[in-house]
Structures are given as C-alpha cells and as structure tokens.
Amino acid sequence: MKRFLNSLRASVTLLLILTLLLGGIYPLVIMGVAQTFFTHRANGSLIERGDKIIGSSLLGQEFSSPKYFWGRLSATMPPYNPAASTGSNFNPANPKLLQAADVHIAALQKADPGNKSLIPVDLVTASASGVDPHISVASMLYQLPRVARARGMTEDAVKALAVKATEMPFLEILGEPYVNVVRLNLSLDEAKAGTNPNGK
C-alpha cells in the first residue's frame, strides 16, 4: 500500500509539473516570443487599410470580376471559409473532377476568348485547404492579358505588381515561386483607385 501511495504521489506530482510547464509556461513563452519578434504573423498576417481589416495574406478570397486575378478554386461552403477548410477530395479517376474542371475551363475561356494559351491545372482544381491564397506564376501569366485589358493598364505594369506579390519557396529551393492573389489584387486596386478591394 505504501508503495502504491508513493507511486501515486509521484505520478500526480509529475502530472502537475508537466501541466504547469507544457500547459502554462511553455505556451506563454512561445506567445511572448511570437508577439515580440513576429507580431504580424502571430496575429494572422492581417491586411489592414486604415482602421479596417480587409483580409489576411494567408487566406484566399473570392474574386469574380475580370479585372481581378482569380485564385485557386475553393471547395468550402461558402468559398474560402477558414472555419470549414477542406478540399474536394476528388481523386484523378473521379469523373466529377473532370466535370468540374470542364466547367471552370469554359468560364476561363469565356472571360478571355482570345487567349489560346494552355490553362494551368491549378486554375481548374481546388486546393487541399480550400482557402489557398496562392496561384502559380503560370496561372498569373495566363490571366495577365485579361486583367490588364479590363483595367486599361499595360501588361508590363500589371506584371510589375505581380512580381512584388510573388513569394519564394522555403530556402528558395523547395518548390516553385507562387503569387499571392489577395496581395496582388489589392495592389492593383491601390494602383488604380476607385475599385473594390474585396473583388465583388
């Protein structure tokens, strides 16, 4: 009985110590470091204009106007809902994947009928998270003529803004560069005032 009580006491003591360390002190230290050195990222990489929060550079938004770059498709309901992050989960052999891709291919061709370039796959398939704010550089280049024409801007001017919204992969070697659609569309609005930063 004495051995059992000693073991119980040691177990409870260890539980309390670990709870204090890992459930209290450690999270507070990490939060303090994050808020001190990575404040913007720790608070959600929010995009603010004046006193208004208009989004996050980590979360995609729905853009439907031809004067905006369109992002990855979203399988969440409503689109780009971070509370319901999910992909379509369609495998390559699922006919629904091809049917959905055909619908989006038709929409892209209708929006820019003169564009005969190959449509990048990330423009017609949903991202795994459903809230991805990025597209490939190829997807940006495919949409570039349409956006420039709709805004009355030169393609070089739009491309210059796209370059600024391009992010490099980790260590610049793991993966390919990608373009942040939310940041790019916002910079387009700022370059030509009078448009809606939410893309509606």
Side-chain angles (χ1 to χ4, degrees):
M1 186 66 178
K2 183 177 180 181
R3 181 178 297 177
F4 170 76
L5 291 175
N6 288 338
S7 297
L8 180 62
R9 186 181 300 109
S11 298
V12 172
T13 301
L14 182 60
L15 174 63
L16 293 174
I17 291 174
L18 289 176
T19 299
L20 180 63
L21 286 175
L22 302 179
I25 296 175
Y26 177 75
L28 288 174
V29 170
I30 295 300
M31 183 175 68
V33 170
Q35 289 294 338
T36 301
F37 298 103
F38 310 101
T39 307
H40 180 65
R41 293 182 181 180
N43 291 324
S45 298
L46 299 178
I47 301 174
E48 300 179 38
R49 289 299 177 268
D51 59 352
K52 183 180 180 182
I53 297 175
I54 60 175
S56 167
S57 62
L58 301 177
L59 299 173
Q61 293 186 29
E62 186 175 16
F63 297 96
S64 56
S65 170
K67 62 187 177 184
Y68 289 99
F69 284 89
W70 299 339
R72 293 293 306 272
L73 302 177
S74 176
T76 68
M77 293 299 291
Y80 304 98
N81 177 13
S85 176
T86 184
S88 68
N89 294 325
F90 292 151
N91 69 56
N94 192 324
K96 291 184 178 180
L97 180 64
L98 294 178
Q99 292 170 5
D102 286 341
V103 170
H104 296 296
I105 288 172
L108 287 165
Q109 292 175 335
K110 182 179 180 180
D112 192 6
N115 192 340
K116 303 304 179 184
S117 301
L118 293 176
I119 299 175
V121 67
D122 57 314
L123 282 181
V124 296
T125 54
S127 67
S129 66
V131 294
D132 190 353
H134 302 106
I135 56 173
S136 65
V137 173
S139 291
M140 178 274 292
L141 292 173
Y142 175 83
Q143 299 182 80
L144 180 63
R146 183 198 78 224
V147 174
R149 189 169 58 251
R151 288 181 173 269
M153 299 173 66
T154 66
E155 291 189 18
D156 286 342
V158 175
K159 190 174 182 179
L161 294 175
V163 169
K164 293 180 180 179
T166 299
E167 302 173 12
M168 300 303 294
F170 182 66
L171 297 180
E172 298 190 6
I173 57 173
L174 301 178
E176 299 179 358
Y178 42 86
V179 180
N180 191 301
V181 177
V182 176
R183 286 177 49 208
L184 174 53
N185 285 337
L186 181 60
S187 65
L188 283 167
D189 280 346
E190 292 175 340
K192 195 167 186 178
T195 54
N196 184 352
N198 291 319
K200 301 301 182 182

